[in-house]
Every structure is written in C-alpha cells, then in structure tokens.
Amino acid sequence: MDYAYFLVTLITAIVLVIGGLGLALLISPRSNNSQKREAYESGIPTRGTSWMQFRVGYYLYAILYLMFDVETVFLFPWAVVVRDLGISGLVSILFFLLILVLGLAYAWRKGVLEWK
Amino acid sequence: MENIKELILAKVPDAVIEDKQYLTVTVKPEDLRTLAKMLRYDEGFDYLIQLTGVDYGDSLGVVYLLTKSEDMAGCIVMKTATADKENPTLPTVSDMWEAANWNEREVYDYFGVIFINHPDMRHLFLTERWKGYPLRKDYDAGRDVNPLDLKSYDMSDTTVSYVSEGDGLKKIEKKLFEDDDYVVNIGPQHPATHGVLHFRTALEGEFIRKIDANCGYIHRGVEKLCEGLSYPQSLHFTDRLDYLCAHIYRHGLCMCVEKAAGIEVPERAEVIRTIMDELQRIDSHLIAWSCMCQDMSALTAFIYGMRDREKILDIFEETGGGRLIQNYNVIGGVMADIHPNFVQRVKAFIPVMRKGLKEYHQLYTGNIIARERMIGVGVMSKETAIAYGVTGPSARASGIHCDLRKITPYAAYDKVEFKEIIRTEGDSMARYMNRLDEIEESLHIIEQLIDNIPEGDFCAKTKAIIKLPEGEYFQRVEGGRGEWGVYILSKGDKTPYRMKFRSPCMTLVNAMDTISRGGKIADLITIGGSMDYIIPDIDR
Amino acid sequence: MEVKDIKIKGIPYDEFKDNDTLEKYVEELRANGVGIITGVLDDIINWGRSNSLWPLTFATSCCGIEFMAVGAARYDFARFGFEVTRNSPRQADVIIVAGTIVDKMAPVLKRLYDQMAEPKYVIAMGSCAISGGPFCNSYCVVNGVDEFLPVDVYVPGCPPKPEALLYGMMQLQRKVKMERFMFKDKEVKENE
C-alpha cells in the first residue's frame, strides 16, 4: 500500500484551499453595509421568516439520494479489487445490491418517487 | 345594428347612441351595469378589448371597447362619466369581464376613480405612496411633489375594496396573503421574467398557491408624454413599448392617424409595411422561442435563435437604419425607400429560415424533457382566455379565432393567402408550436409579396403640422403577442387630448395567476416563457 | 502602468476615441497621493480581474435585448471574459444598467448595487440610463442612473449597437487595469 499518493493529494488539497482563502483575505477590499447582510430576493426586501414547516417530500428525496450515494461509495472499492475477490466477492456484492434494490422497489411502489 | 339600438334603448332609455367609427353608447354611471349586463350576457359581447379612462375637464369618464369572441370584427363602444372630481366613483364591471380588473386599477392609478365593488382596488403602476393622479389635466408633475425615494419599503399584504353603503362608500380590507403563507419574490430582477415583472408567489413546498403580479417597474408615463407631443413625435414611443414588434406598433399608430386625417397611403408603402411587419413578427417569435428554451435551460437554443435573428436585423439595418428600434414607419408611408439589396436579401433569407425551423424542431421540440415540461402545463381554457381578453398566439392555442390580419385585414393582408394557426389544447406546448408555425406562415406571406412590390411613392405628402379633426379614433392591429390597439381622443389640436395604447401583454400577465395555480415553480417559468410577455408593453 | 501601455485585444492606445477621461482620472489619483505606480503583483491581479468581469443579468427595457444580442453568438462578449451573466448580485462584478430606470425600480436597483461585493463597477447603457432618454420629461423616470449610482462607463445610443457596448466594456477593462489593488484603504465606507 503506497500511502505516498494519498499524502500528496491531502497536502495539495489543504494548500490549495488555505492558499486561496488566505490570498483573498490578504488582498480583498473590505466594505460593509446593511444590505450586504440581508437575503437576496431579486432586489425586494423579504417577507416573513423562513423558519416554517417544510414538506416532508424534500426530506424523503434527500434520504433516498443519501442511501444510493453511500451504496456507490461502497461499490467503488469493490470495483477496484474485483479480480482478486473472484466469484465469492461477486455473490456478496450482489446480495448487498439486492437489499438496496428491494428498498428502491418499496419506495417506487409507495409512490415516493413522484413529487406530489 | 338597428336591432341592437332598439334593444339598448328599451333597456336604458337615457342612453345616447351615436354612429361613429363604432356604435357608441353613452350612459350615466347608474345605468352602466344594466347596459353592460345586457351587452355581455344577452348580446354576447364577451371580449373587453380596451378600458380607457379620460379626463374630460369637467368630468372623469371611462370608455369601454367591446367585441364578441365569435366575430371579432364588429365592436361596440360604451362610455360613461362622473362629474364628481373630488371623490369620483363608478361601478365596476370586473365581475363580467375579468380583463376589467387590471384596467380599472389602471384608471384608479391615473385618475383616482374608485370602482365600487372592485375586489382589489390598489395601485397598479405607481407606488403606494404616490401623491396625485398623473393623467388628470391638473396634475403637477414636479419632482417636489413626488421626490425620488431610494428606500425599500415592505410591500403591504392587504388590499382594499369599496362597497356602497347608504350614501357613501365603505372600505373593506382584504388579505392578499395569509400570515403563515410562504411568500417569495420572483423578479423584478430575474432572467426569466422577460423584463421587470414582480411576482409575489405564495408557495407550499414546490406548489404555487397564489401569484400576485406587480407591475410598474418600467412605468414611464408614455401616455402622459404623448399628450404634450405632436403626432409624428409620439410615434417614437411606440417603438419602445414592445420593442420586439416595433414596426407593427408604429404601423398601428400611423394607420390610426392616417385614417383620422384622411391621408391615403400609397400601395408601395402598404406592401413594404406588410413585409416589414412580417419580418418583425418572425424576429419577435424567434426571440420568444429562444428565451423560452433558455428559461428551460436549453442555452444552445438561445444561440441558434439569435443567430438567425441577426440576419433579419441586418436587413432592417440596411433599409431602416436601426436594428431594434428602426423608426421606419411615418405618417403617410415609410421614411425612406427600400434599399436596392432588400428584395434579394429577403429572398435569400427565406430558405435559411426554413432550414432553421427544421433545426429548431430537431433540437428541442422532440426532446423528451421538453415535452414533459410543456405538455399539459399551464392549460388556459377558452373561457379563461376570453374572460381575460387574451389575444395572439396564446389565445389561438386555446382555440379562439382572433387573428386580426384575417378578421379585419389592413395594409396588404387582404391580398395574401395564409393560414390562421389554431390549436385547442391550450397548454404551453400548443403556444410554443403556434409560434413556430406562425413563423412559417409569415415566410409564406413574405414570399407572396416580395416579388410584387408595386412601383410608386413610398410616402404620401402630408402637411407639416398634422391636426386630427375632433373625435375619437380606434385602431387595432395584430402584434406579435396579441391585439395591440390605439385610442386617440382629439380636440382638433396638433397634440392628442388623450392617447391610450391597449396592451396585449397585460392580459397575458393578468391570466398568469389563474393558469399557474397548483403547478410547480418550474412550471411557472415554462408558462411565463410560453405566454411570452414584454413588460414595457404592460407598463407603458 | 501607463495608460499608453494597456492593450485590450491588441487594440493600441491611438485607436480608442476617448483617452482623455482615463488620463485625467490617472492624473487626479496621482495628484491626491494615491500611488499609481503599480507593481508587478498589481498588474497580474488587474490583468486577471479585467479579463473576468461578470455582469449581472439586469435589463429593464429595449437595451436589454441588445445586451442579449451582445451575449449571443455574433457579438459574443465571452471573448472578453464577460462570460457568464450571474443572476445573483453577490457573484457579479459589473452591473450593466440597460434600460430606463423609473421611480419604482430605483430602490430595487440601489439594493442590488449595495448587495454586490466589492470591487464592483457600473456601466450605464443607453440614453435612458445616462439621462432619462426619450422619457426625460416624464413624471416618474429617473433622469440618469448616476443620480444615485457611481457610473464608470457611459455607452450612448438608443439602443447602442452591440459594437458600441463592446467598446464600452473595453474602456471599462482599461479602467480596471489602471487601478491599484494591493493594500488599498482597508475600509471603504458606503452610503447606507
């Protein structure tokens, strides 16, 4: 396991982020007025508060996305070492996928995928 | 028409009936609703084209222009006036014609006339804090009365309605939005509102519960300005109302003045005007298509549409001198003869545009995402369209025959053959397809005229100072977005006493609330793009 | 950096019609003690900034259509770096005021301008934004957006041809290249 590549990536990421933010902090002009702190809504002052009840549909959408994203995260390392794992690896990953597909089928049947 | 005169006199014996350009019936305010009900329900005048407020000096009046949706050629004019200038009131007709809702708010804005039982008596164009009524003849237009105020105020959530109670009026406050509504401001600075239109949208998640459209962010007071200018001078504003249909609007005002002054336009000028009108119509529909697709995130379609539009602008620039604002029509004809290259360039353009149309259909119309976003979205039924006074390609998508080029042909339109594009679904897809098909029809019209431009003068000789005889003059033309109209009230001077422009886009925006409710925000953008309104046309 | 040395798109100093305003601007800054001798770092930063000014999508009337035409394929302003028109003022660098500004719109425009992040510029496009245009005698039109915004470049016309707007944008780029960027006054007080 050659961790040198990983270290290089990590250091580059940190340097780029800190460098960019730091440079901006050093050389950017400062200015402030009360409109800058307000929400932008096409130039008109906003009405009311944004703290209110949201539709549960947004939450379901986010949760479904999260699940399939995590599934993808697990699929990538398997794809890298698929040849070494052989048939038994294939069977285990298929089992994993089957459980998630069952979840998707349930969500589909329940009509969660339609936005109502 | 004799029949209707008897019927009117039977219902309203005090009515004064005159046979002018259209049959004109003047009634007292108390009889207005009786007459209006009779015309609307018994006689079938279900289309309110224009509602104009006039300051007659000693009284404030309103002029209504009505027509029937089955036969849009014949019109009737209803007039009324109130002599009370301190607290002027008139009964509303917004329950009979939805189009009257916004028009009466406009009259309130300009003249201060309160319409009894109007559901939403607020300012339309001016801010809530505006002092004075601009179009009254005794208005002081100074900056000290209404100084420039840069402070942003919160917009009020209540509206008022006036009902008559005993001898006076009672003011009822109504809520526009509930306290717990989530109201979001879409516009005025927004790429998809096609100008500065402000939609206050009450949302429930993604669904739209109610839209309150606020206009006036480009209200330039054109009608008041025209009262101080001579007729040739006021032509310049028509280009800047709906700048994408500049030729057509200018043509309309020129025709109104020419008919009133008795100036005959030479045939060559008529044909040139028609060809320019149709080129302008293609230009306008191209931008409508480009912007609609851009709003739905197809930026490539924008680039394609604008590319073909540049060819039309080249033709305009060579002959008229300007790309967007050409100032080409004048009273009596056109300002200059067509450039020697004109005919050949237009003939070269026609096949290019046909090829472009095929490309547009290939590029966007068959796309599954486009179809999902447009089919069934924003359905405007025929009744809604008639009630709001919608005209143009949007109304023809709901099945109404309202193409003024066919119904009341003007210029050279009676010499050419073309189809009126009618669809009945009334959804955004129908409006979209209407525009593209109308481009094809415009090309067909140009093809028939371009080789047969008659020889002769390009402009009739007119007097240096044009004075219209006393009277009222109406003119209706088919603009790119619907029927545009002019109303001139002349007292015999060289400047108009009152000039009013009937805006087709006002009816489109007025109908947005009804057809967008229950849809999603993304649908609002699609519907707005398919209705294709231009805001300076509304606000004038 | 002298005004003479700035080349936008390879166009030399003599081809620009209005060099006087820029020279006067530079002299005024020098006279008031602001160092215009910019170092290499300033040059690099100004080069980056001037070639990437992103306009706000702001158009009220007819000039807006010519603005859109400048963005379209024939007169592409993306070649100058004005690539994306940002819809939010917080991400925009320049506001091209295209169209008439009326009394009702003025507070909205002021608010949008205030919400933009420094450094920001204003181009007044069209005669309506410069002085009220054909509507200057109206009861509710602001006679020129410079009544309440500091304008950097005026582009006359009704509407200005796309080439005129591109020329105006190039003048703005030259102005940006003249600015001193590093270690300016740290606090820039703005009117509330």
Side-chain angles (χ1 to χ4, degrees):
Chain A
M1 274 286 119
D2 199 357
Y3 285 104
Y5 292 123
F6 174 67
L7 202 61
V8 166
T9 314
L10 186 64
I11 294 184
T12 315
I14 294 178
V15 162
L16 279 176
V17 169
I18 295 189
L21 287 175
L23 194 63
L25 201 71
L26 274 179
I27 66 175
S28 65
R30 303 269 184 279
S31 89
N32 218 340
N33 58 33
S34 63
Q35 269 79 25
K36 285 213 167 74
R37 279 175 253 125
E38 289 186 16
Y40 160 71
E41 217 172 77
S42 307
I44 309 280
T46 53
R47 175 201 186 262
T49 71
S50 303
W51 283 90
M52 47 165 280
Q53 278 192 321
F54 276 79
R55 285 176 66 86
V56 74
Y58 289 108
Y59 169 76
L60 286 172
Y61 206 77
I63 288 289
L64 272 180
Y65 162 73
L66 183 68
M67 272 179 36
F68 289 103
D69 202 30
V70 171
E71 169 187 349
T72 316
V73 166
F74 281 119
L75 281 178
F76 277 125
W78 170 76
V80 170
V81 292
V82 62
R83 285 192 194 277
D84 300 331
L85 288 177
I87 300 289
S88 61
L90 180 65
V91 167
S92 352
I93 203 75
L94 278 178
F95 192 61
F96 172 66
L97 278 177
L98 181 69
I99 298 179
L100 285 168
V101 163
L102 277 175
L104 176 63
Y106 177 70
W108 197 330
R109 276 294 300 273
K110 279 283 176 181
V112 168
L113 296 179
E114 296 281 318
W115 186 277
K116 261 190 276 296
Chain B
M1 272 303 186
E2 288 307 314
N3 201 2
I4 202 165
K5 281 192 204 168
E6 282 156 17
L7 289 166
I8 294 175
L9 286 170
K11 264 282 165 100
V12 184
D14 284 340
V16 176
I17 305 188
E18 297 160 291
D19 253 320
K20 295 201 268 199
Q21 185 181 355
Y22 299 120
L23 191 73
T24 308
V25 184
T26 311
V27 292
K28 296 207 198 60
E30 307 85 62
D31 300 324
L32 178 68
R33 283 188 65 86
T34 327
L35 176 64
K37 272 202 195 109
M38 186 203 110
L39 289 175
R40 166 77 175 87
Y41 297 114
D42 301 333
E43 297 303 315
F45 283 93
D46 49 359
Y47 231 98
L48 175 67
I49 304 178
Q50 252 189 19
L51 203 163
T52 313
V54 187
D55 181 354
Y56 291 109
D58 52 355
S59 58
L60 293 171
V62 181
V63 179
Y64 304 78
L65 181 67
L66 305 167
T67 187
K68 302 186 194 180
S69 62
E70 297 106 39
D71 170 28
M72 295 194 69
C75 300
I76 195 168
V77 175
M78 233 175 28
K79 281 166 70 162
T80 184
T82 170
D84 179 5
K85 279 184 97 163
E86 295 297 313
N87 298 310
T89 61
L90 283 174
T92 186
V93 293
S94 55
D95 50 332
M96 298 179 226
W97 296 282
E98 265 306 324
N101 193 319
W102 273 26
N103 283 302
E104 287 178 354
R105 283 174 66 185
E106 182 188 328
V107 175
Y108 171 60
D109 232 353
Y110 285 161
F111 297 96
V113 177
I114 291 184
F115 288 87
I116 305 174
N117 286 330
H118 189 282
D120 184 9
M121 197 86 258
R122 283 181 292 161
H123 281 284
L124 187 61
F125 297 143
L126 302 170
T127 55
E128 290 156 0
R129 287 160 298 284
W130 195 270
K131 295 194 190 51
Y133 300 108
L135 254 67
R136 287 203 191 182
K137 292 293 173 182
D138 51 7
Y139 175 70
D140 168 18
R143 262 289 177 216
D144 13 332
V145 180
N146 284 303
L148 175 63
D149 189 355
L150 288 174
K151 185 156 173 290
S152 299
Y153 293 90
D154 281 330
M155 302 191 72
S156 96
D157 283 338
T158 55
T159 179
V160 289
S161 181
Y162 293 91
V163 294
S164 58
E165 190 186 44
D167 260 343
L169 292 177
K170 187 167 94 136
K171 196 168 158 174
I172 303 181
E173 279 209 359
K174 291 194 205 161
K175 275 183 172 308
L176 282 170
F177 297 112
E178 298 305 315
D179 287 326
D180 59 350
D181 267 346
Y182 183 52
V183 177
V184 155
N185 295 307
I186 300 183
Q189 183 262 334
H190 193 280
T193 53
H194 299 216
V196 278
L197 186 58
H198 179 195
F199 285 126
R200 298 184 77 204
T201 320
L203 292 175
E204 186 191 327
E206 284 284 301
F207 292 101
I208 296 177
R209 263 214 210 130
K210 180 176 175 166
I211 298 182
D212 175 37
N214 283 51
C215 319
Y217 289 93
I218 187 75
H219 172 66
R220 302 181 271 201
V222 170
E223 296 182 359
K224 179 85 180 176
L225 284 173
C226 284
E227 287 177 12
L229 297 173
S230 63
Y231 294 99
Q233 285 174 321
S234 59
L235 286 178
H236 291 282
F237 292 129
T238 53
D239 274 10
R240 288 154 177 87
L241 287 177
D242 179 354
Y243 31 81
L244 297 175
C245 291
H247 266 299
I248 305 178
Y249 282 29
R250 212 169 152 111
H251 186 181
L253 184 54
C254 288
M255 274 202 294
C256 191
V257 175
E258 284 153 9
K259 282 201 189 123
I263 299 173
E264 196 178 317
V265 181
E267 250 198 273
R268 185 177 173 82
E270 298 265 36
V271 173
I272 294 177
R273 276 180 173 179
T274 313
I275 298 178
M276 287 296 200
D277 270 3
E278 290 308 307
L279 280 172
Q280 184 82 73
R281 197 183 308 276
I282 298 177
D283 168 339
S284 163
H285 285 327
L286 274 177
I287 286 216
W289 178 78
S290 303
C291 289
M292 181 178 175
C293 297
Q294 181 194 35
D295 291 344
M296 290 194 271
S297 304
L299 274 167
T300 308
F302 176 74
I303 302 289
Y304 273 54
M306 297 293 266
R307 171 200 66 178
D308 287 329
R309 181 176 171 254
E310 292 287 337
K311 302 195 179 63
I312 303 182
L313 295 181
D314 281 342
I315 298 175
F316 280 159
E317 200 179 354
E318 207 176 23
T319 300
R323 288 159 46 99
L324 189 68
I325 309 283
Q326 300 97 6
N327 292 340
Y328 192 50
N329 288 325
V330 288
I331 298 176
V334 292
M335 192 179 272
D337 208 351
I338 48 177
H339 195 271
N341 284 347
F342 180 75
V343 174
Q344 161 224 346
R345 280 184 99 148
V346 172
K347 280 164 81 161
F349 167 70
I350 296 178
V352 167
M353 188 70 238
R354 288 219 162 97
K355 180 161 155 281
L357 276 178
K358 273 208 212 54
E359 265 181 353
Y360 304 154
H361 283 297
Q362 261 181 329
L363 190 59
Y364 197 66
T365 313
N367 187 332
I368 183 70
I369 298 180
R371 296 186 84 85
E372 286 287 307
R373 283 195 77 168
M374 290 198 286
I375 296 184
V377 165
V379 176
M380 183 162 65
S381 66
K382 195 167 171 180
E383 292 74 36
T384 314
I386 295 177
Y388 281 102
V390 179
T391 47
S394 311
R396 290 197 277 282
S398 298
I400 305 176
H401 289 262
C402 56
D403 194 340
L404 284 177
R405 301 174 288 167
K406 276 234 178 278
I407 298 174
T408 54
Y410 52 92
Y413 286 114
D414 42 3
K415 300 197 191 85
V416 290
E417 288 273 315
F418 63 100
K419 286 200 303 271
E420 193 182 354
I421 313 280
I422 306 274
R423 290 192 158 77
T424 46
E425 302 94 41
D427 58 5
S428 300
M429 188 71 184
R431 294 188 278 267
Y432 169 94
M433 290 299 293
N434 258 15
R435 292 211 169 80
L436 291 176
D437 287 343
E438 281 194 10
I439 295 182
E440 176 59 54
E441 289 306 311
S442 292
L443 288 172
H444 192 50
I445 296 177
I446 297 176
E447 261 179 337
Q448 294 170 57
L449 289 174
I450 192 69
D451 281 321
N452 311 325
I453 305 181
E455 294 301 320
D457 281 334
F458 56 86
C459 187
K461 298 262 178 303
T462 60
K463 298 202 212 43
I465 299 187
I466 296 183
K467 288 192 186 175
L468 295 190
E470 253 193 79
E472 294 178 330
Y473 306 101
F474 293 89
Q475 178 66 47
R476 304 158 69 196
V477 284
E478 178 72 17
R481 287 158 182 83
E483 176 185 326
W484 187 73
V486 187
Y487 164 77
I488 301 181
L489 173 61
S490 163
K491 297 248 160 153
D493 299 323
K494 62 179 172 134
T495 62
Y497 186 79
R498 172 85 167 101
M499 191 184 271
K500 149 99 181 180
F501 303 116
R502 187 261 182 191
S503 160
C505 303
M506 188 193 252
T507 60
L508 295 169
V509 175
N510 206 353
M512 285 294 283
D513 186 19
T514 312
I515 62 178
S516 311
R517 278 200 202 187
K520 307 193 188 78
I521 298 187
D523 293 339
L524 173 67
I525 305 298
T526 310
I527 297 169
S530 72
M531 293 288 252
D532 179 34
Y533 33 74
I534 293 286
I535 314 302
D537 187 29
I538 306 175
D539 292 351
R540 277 158 273 142
Chain C
M1 154 95 44
E2 289 292 319
V3 183
K4 280 195 176 12
D5 296 329
I6 302 178
K7 286 192 194 8
I8 307 279
K9 291 269 169 218
I11 298 179
Y13 178 77
D14 294 317
E15 305 247 334
F16 278 95
K17 289 227 169 66
D18 182 10
N19 288 318
D20 300 330
T21 319
L22 214 49
E23 295 277 14
K24 254 200 288 203
Y25 171 68
V26 165
E27 263 170 44
E28 241 181 75
L29 288 175
R30 270 208 194 107
N32 290 335
V34 176
I36 280 292
I37 318 292
T38 55
V40 177
L41 198 54
D42 258 335
D43 276 351
I44 295 179
I45 294 178
N46 281 342
W47 169 80
R49 281 197 312 131
S50 68
N51 285 328
S52 144
L53 287 162
W54 288 353
L56 177 69
T57 35
F58 183 83
T60 53
S61 53
C62 347
C63 284
I65 303 293
E66 285 296 53
F67 179 39
M68 277 160 51
V70 177
R74 189 188 269 195
Y75 301 102
D76 200 12
F77 57 25
R79 330 173 249 162
F80 293 82
F82 291 73
E83 171 73 50
V84 254
T85 48
R86 308 303 299 184
N87 299 323
S88 163
R90 306 216 196 274
Q91 302 160 5
D93 294 311
V94 62
I95 180 165
I96 300 183
V97 183
T100 324
I101 300 297
V102 300
D103 281 358
K104 198 169 179 183
M105 189 68 191
V108 176
L109 177 56
K110 183 88 174 67
R111 201 181 183 78
L112 287 171
Y113 179 76
D114 285 338
Q115 285 180 338
M116 281 169 78
E118 293 278 322
K120 53 191 174 185
Y121 304 95
V122 177
I123 296 183
M125 175 184 177
S127 51
C128 290
I130 296 177
S131 66
F135 308 98
C136 57
N137 292 329
S138 173
Y139 52 86
C140 59
V141 165
V142 176
N143 283 0
V145 81
D146 53 7
E147 277 192 21
F148 57 93
L149 287 186
V151 176
D152 290 297
V153 178
Y154 296 87
V155 183
C158 188
K161 280 203 66 168
E163 289 103 328
L165 182 61
L166 287 175
Y167 180 76
M169 287 171 165
M170 286 200 273
Q171 289 278 39
L172 180 65
Q173 285 183 321
R174 290 205 308 164
K175 197 173 184 185
V176 168
K177 282 197 166 161
M178 289 310 300
E179 284 189 350
R180 179 176 177 193
F181 200 73
M182 299 286 294
F183 311 120
K184 265 201 316 204
D185 288 331
K186 283 292 180 177
E187 286 296 318
V188 177
K189 288 264 183 279
E190 287 198 71
N191 313 338
E192 291 283 301

